[in-house]
Amino acid sequence: GENVEQHPSTLSVQEGDSAVIKCTYSDSASNYFPWYKQELGKRPQLIIDIRSNVGEKKDQRIAVTLNKTAKHFSLHITETQPEDSAVYFCAAGGGGGNKLTFGTGTQLKVEL
Amino acid sequence: GAVVSQHPSWVICKSGTSVKIECRSLDFQATTMFWYRQFPKQSLMLMATSNEGSKATYEQGVEKDKFLINHASLTLSTLTVTSAHPEDSSFYICSAAAGQGSEKLFFGSGTQLSVL
């Protein structure tokens, strides 16, 4: 089955700096890679996703890049703000239905 | 985006009792829903895939007789934790694909289960 690794587990940045979270996956059949943001005690929220036929996607301050050959994808948050503080999960799926395998999560803390 | 409703948001029960958690897709039909378990500061661990009108598919290591899943309609899936024990205490969360064939998953608000 699919195995997704995520790094770092914790990330602290100063407000206004950029944050980068990286994930690798194992199943070459996976073709859908979403990122979720989960605030404490709340549900995960889809913030951006990318499919394997695209190398990069951007939505305002958030961007995701995908290297299908190397089987890794990254989340980039620019001009970070305190409200970006949360746990971020990457996921991979689509190889067999819409089942997703999640990474272990990254606790992002944006400091003033 | 699509709305997934999950109830209850928290429940406390005595050891040995059963607890039912509901997951509803409010504005779309979901032929497939997923149930996860999440421990504090850990990832979402898929427990089972719930398929409307058929038996659920359980992940390895998940006891199907303990975690009963029913997906009787296109908008409702239920997870029943039977004979709950303290080690079953956890955050349970469901998700549903926003439409048949869609890869985008939307999550319920989760249920914090505490077994005394």
Side-chain angles (χ1 to χ4, degrees), chain B residues 35-99:
Chain B
W35 287 95
Y36 307 82
R37 186 171 179 176
Q38 187 177 31
F39 291 102
K41 298 185 179 182
Q42 293 191 26
S43 188
L44 296 151
M45 300 303 296
L46 180 65
M47 298 174 65
T49 302
S50 172
N51 302 295
E52 187 269 335
S54 64
K55 291 183 179 181
T57 303
Y58 290 83
E59 295 299 301
Q60 190 173 8
V62 178
E63 298 177 59
K64 63 180 181 180
D65 294 330
K66 181 167 186 62
F67 299 99
L68 300 179
I69 292 173
N70 183 278
H71 194 153
S73 77
L74 287 171
T75 60
L76 174 65
S77 176
T78 62
L79 167 68
T80 301
V81 183
T82 63
S83 186
H85 291 285
E87 58 265 29
D88 298 324
S89 298
S90 187
F91 188 66
Y92 293 88
I93 192 165
C94 68
S95 71

Side-chain angles (χ1 to χ4, degrees), chain A residues 26-77:
Chain A
S26 61
D27 189 350
S28 58
S30 290
N31 55 19
Y32 176 63
F33 308 92
W35 286 87
Y36 287 86
K37 175 184 180 182
Q38 186 178 28
E39 296 178 40
L40 187 63
K42 296 190 176 180
R43 75 186 79 196
Q45 297 274 10
L46 178 68
I47 56 172
I48 196 168
D49 56 9
I50 192 169
R51 289 181 172 76
S52 59
N53 58 346
V54 176
E56 183 174 357
K57 183 177 179 181
K58 188 174 182 180
D59 182 4
Q60 300 182 346
R61 296 188 296 109
I62 296 173
V64 58
T65 59
L66 170 66
N67 184 325
K68 196 165 168 54
T69 302
K71 296 196 189 70
H72 65 70
F73 56 113
S74 301
L75 177 71
H76 303 253
I77 305 174

Side-chain angles (χ1 to χ4, degrees), chain B residues 11-56:
Chain B
V11 59
I12 301 173
C13 69
K14 292 182 178 180
S15 186
T17 61
S18 294
V19 174
K20 180 185 282 188
I21 304 169
E22 293 189 349
C23 181
R24 293 180 186 272
S25 55
L26 296 186
D27 51 0
F28 64 98
Q29 293 184 332
T31 55
T32 303
M33 292 185 176
F34 302 90
W35 287 95
Y36 307 82
R37 186 171 179 176
Q38 187 177 31
F39 291 102
K41 298 185 179 182
Q42 293 191 26
S43 188
L44 296 151
M45 300 303 296
L46 180 65
M47 298 174 65
T49 302
S50 172
N51 302 295
E52 187 269 335
S54 64
K55 291 183 179 181

